[in-house]
mmCIF file of all heavy atoms in Angstrom:
data_model
loop_
_atom_site.group_PDB
_atom_site.id
_atom_site.type_symbol
_atom_site.label_atom_id
_atom_site.label_comp_id
_atom_site.label_asym_id
_atom_site.label_seq_id
_atom_site.Cartn_x
_atom_site.Cartn_y
_atom_site.Cartn_z
ATOM 1 N N ILE B 115 -30.306 17.058 -15.432
ATOM 2 C CA ILE B 115 -29.758 17.172 -16.788
ATOM 3 C C ILE B 115 -30.508 16.264 -17.754
ATOM 4 O O ILE B 115 -30.848 16.663 -18.879
ATOM 5 C CB ILE B 115 -28.254 16.836 -16.774
ATOM 6 C CG1 ILE B 115 -27.483 17.916 -16.011
ATOM 7 C CG2 ILE B 115 -27.714 16.713 -18.201
ATOM 8 C CD1 ILE B 115 -26.004 17.602 -15.847
ATOM 9 N N VAL B 116 -30.789 15.026 -17.312
ATOM 10 C CA VAL B 116 -31.533 14.099 -18.171
ATOM 11 C C VAL B 116 -32.917 14.650 -18.482
ATOM 12 O O VAL B 116 -33.387 14.588 -19.630
ATOM 13 C CB VAL B 116 -31.630 12.715 -17.495
ATOM 14 C CG1 VAL B 116 -32.613 11.813 -18.244
ATOM 15 C CG2 VAL B 116 -30.260 12.059 -17.446
ATOM 16 N N ALA B 117 -33.589 15.193 -17.474
ATOM 17 C CA ALA B 117 -34.919 15.761 -17.704
ATOM 18 C C ALA B 117 -34.855 16.948 -18.664
ATOM 19 O O ALA B 117 -35.697 17.080 -19.565
ATOM 20 C CB ALA B 117 -35.536 16.192 -16.370
ATOM 21 N N ALA B 118 -33.832 17.795 -18.503
ATOM 22 C CA ALA B 118 -33.696 18.953 -19.390
ATOM 23 C C ALA B 118 -33.412 18.518 -20.826
ATOM 24 O O ALA B 118 -33.978 19.074 -21.784
ATOM 25 C CB ALA B 118 -32.585 19.866 -18.883
ATOM 26 N N VAL B 119 -32.535 17.507 -20.992
ATOM 27 C CA VAL B 119 -32.242 17.009 -22.341
ATOM 28 C C VAL B 119 -33.481 16.373 -22.963
ATOM 29 O O VAL B 119 -33.752 16.545 -24.159
ATOM 30 C CB VAL B 119 -31.071 16.009 -22.286
ATOM 31 C CG1 VAL B 119 -30.883 15.320 -23.635
ATOM 32 C CG2 VAL B 119 -29.786 16.720 -21.880
ATOM 33 N N TRP B 120 -34.252 15.630 -22.161
ATOM 34 C CA TRP B 120 -35.478 14.999 -22.673
ATOM 35 C C TRP B 120 -36.471 16.059 -23.145
ATOM 36 O O TRP B 120 -37.074 15.936 -24.217
ATOM 37 C CB TRP B 120 -36.090 14.138 -21.591
ATOM 38 C CG TRP B 120 -37.360 13.454 -22.011
ATOM 39 C CD1 TRP B 120 -37.490 12.313 -22.748
ATOM 40 C CD2 TRP B 120 -38.692 13.885 -21.712
ATOM 41 N NE1 TRP B 120 -38.803 12.004 -22.937
ATOM 42 C CE2 TRP B 120 -39.573 12.950 -22.313
ATOM 43 C CE3 TRP B 120 -39.235 14.950 -21.003
ATOM 44 C CZ2 TRP B 120 -40.959 13.058 -22.212
ATOM 45 C CZ3 TRP B 120 -40.596 15.057 -20.909
ATOM 46 C CH2 TRP B 120 -41.451 14.136 -21.501
ATOM 47 N N LEU B 121 -36.633 17.110 -22.339
ATOM 48 C CA LEU B 121 -37.544 18.188 -22.740
ATOM 49 C C LEU B 121 -37.035 18.891 -24.002
ATOM 50 O O LEU B 121 -37.826 19.235 -24.892
ATOM 51 C CB LEU B 121 -37.683 19.192 -21.594
ATOM 52 C CG LEU B 121 -38.468 18.715 -20.362
ATOM 53 C CD1 LEU B 121 -38.404 19.766 -19.265
ATOM 54 C CD2 LEU B 121 -39.916 18.408 -20.724
ATOM 55 N N LEU B 122 -35.723 19.094 -24.083
ATOM 56 C CA LEU B 122 -35.158 19.734 -25.271
ATOM 57 C C LEU B 122 -35.344 18.853 -26.501
ATOM 58 O O LEU B 122 -35.628 19.357 -27.601
ATOM 59 C CB LEU B 122 -33.680 20.020 -25.037
ATOM 60 C CG LEU B 122 -32.952 20.831 -26.131
ATOM 61 C CD1 LEU B 122 -33.621 22.190 -26.314
ATOM 62 C CD2 LEU B 122 -31.485 21.008 -25.767
ATOM 63 N N ASP B 123 -35.206 17.540 -26.314
ATOM 64 C CA ASP B 123 -35.419 16.632 -27.436
ATOM 65 C C ASP B 123 -36.867 16.662 -27.904
ATOM 66 O O ASP B 123 -37.146 16.637 -29.117
ATOM 67 C CB ASP B 123 -35.025 15.209 -27.023
ATOM 68 C CG ASP B 123 -35.192 14.212 -28.150
ATOM 69 O OD1 ASP B 123 -34.486 14.339 -29.163
ATOM 70 O OD2 ASP B 123 -36.034 13.296 -28.021
ATOM 71 N N LYS B 124 -37.799 16.725 -26.948
ATOM 72 C CA LYS B 124 -39.216 16.824 -27.322
ATOM 73 C C LYS B 124 -39.498 18.147 -28.015
ATOM 74 O O LYS B 124 -40.281 18.199 -28.974
ATOM 75 C CB LYS B 124 -40.084 16.686 -26.069
ATOM 76 C CG LYS B 124 -40.065 15.304 -25.430
ATOM 77 C CD LYS B 124 -40.600 14.245 -26.375
ATOM 78 C CE LYS B 124 -40.621 12.876 -25.708
ATOM 79 N NZ LYS B 124 -41.107 11.823 -26.627
ATOM 80 N N ALA B 125 -38.859 19.209 -27.528
ATOM 81 C CA ALA B 125 -39.090 20.517 -28.143
ATOM 82 C C ALA B 125 -38.550 20.584 -29.560
ATOM 83 O O ALA B 125 -39.087 21.314 -30.402
ATOM 84 C CB ALA B 125 -38.445 21.606 -27.286
ATOM 85 N N THR B 126 -37.484 19.827 -29.853
ATOM 86 C CA THR B 126 -36.912 19.816 -31.199
ATOM 87 C C THR B 126 -37.449 18.682 -32.052
ATOM 88 O O THR B 126 -36.880 18.368 -33.104
ATOM 89 C CB THR B 126 -35.377 19.701 -31.105
ATOM 90 O OG1 THR B 126 -35.041 18.500 -30.384
ATOM 91 C CG2 THR B 126 -34.781 20.907 -30.400
ATOM 92 N N LEU B 127 -38.541 18.044 -31.569
ATOM 93 C CA LEU B 127 -39.202 16.966 -32.325
ATOM 94 C C LEU B 127 -38.263 15.793 -32.610
ATOM 95 O O LEU B 127 -38.297 15.192 -33.691
ATOM 96 C CB LEU B 127 -39.771 17.518 -33.642
ATOM 97 C CG LEU B 127 -40.779 18.674 -33.507
ATOM 98 C CD1 LEU B 127 -41.231 19.151 -34.869
ATOM 99 C CD2 LEU B 127 -41.963 18.255 -32.655
ATOM 100 N N GLY B 128 -37.418 15.484 -31.661
ATOM 101 C CA GLY B 128 -36.538 14.322 -31.781
ATOM 102 C C GLY B 128 -35.242 14.565 -32.514
ATOM 103 O O GLY B 128 -34.433 13.637 -32.672
ATOM 104 N N HIS B 129 -34.988 15.779 -32.952
ATOM 105 C CA HIS B 129 -33.760 16.055 -33.700
ATOM 106 C C HIS B 129 -32.515 15.932 -32.821
ATOM 107 O O HIS B 129 -31.437 15.566 -33.308
ATOM 108 C CB HIS B 129 -33.826 17.457 -34.321
ATOM 109 C CG HIS B 129 -34.780 17.548 -35.480
ATOM 110 N ND1 HIS B 129 -36.131 17.778 -35.317
ATOM 111 C CD2 HIS B 129 -34.565 17.423 -36.817
ATOM 112 C CE1 HIS B 129 -36.718 17.811 -36.503
ATOM 113 N NE2 HIS B 129 -35.794 17.589 -37.436
ATOM 114 N N LEU B 130 -32.643 16.254 -31.530
ATOM 115 C CA LEU B 130 -31.491 16.157 -30.637
ATOM 116 C C LEU B 130 -31.039 14.711 -30.492
ATOM 117 O O LEU B 130 -29.836 14.409 -30.516
ATOM 118 C CB LEU B 130 -31.838 16.745 -29.269
ATOM 119 C CG LEU B 130 -30.701 16.797 -28.236
ATOM 120 C CD1 LEU B 130 -29.567 17.679 -28.744
ATOM 121 C CD2 LEU B 130 -31.205 17.306 -26.893
ATOM 122 N N PHE B 131 -31.982 13.791 -30.341
ATOM 123 C CA PHE B 131 -31.641 12.372 -30.225
ATOM 124 C C PHE B 131 -30.995 11.856 -31.510
ATOM 125 O O PHE B 131 -30.015 11.110 -31.476
ATOM 126 C CB PHE B 131 -32.894 11.564 -29.892
ATOM 127 C CG PHE B 131 -32.669 10.079 -29.850
ATOM 128 C CD1 PHE B 131 -32.046 9.491 -28.767
ATOM 129 C CD2 PHE B 131 -33.052 9.266 -30.913
ATOM 130 C CE1 PHE B 131 -31.819 8.124 -28.726
ATOM 131 C CE2 PHE B 131 -32.839 7.908 -30.880
ATOM 132 C CZ PHE B 131 -32.212 7.329 -29.783
#
Side-chain angles (χ1 to χ4, degrees):
I115 292 175
V116 170
V119 172
W120 180 81
L121 289 175
L122 186 59
D123 181 64
K124 292 298 182 182
T126 58
L127 302 178
H129 288 85
L130 184 62
F131 176 77

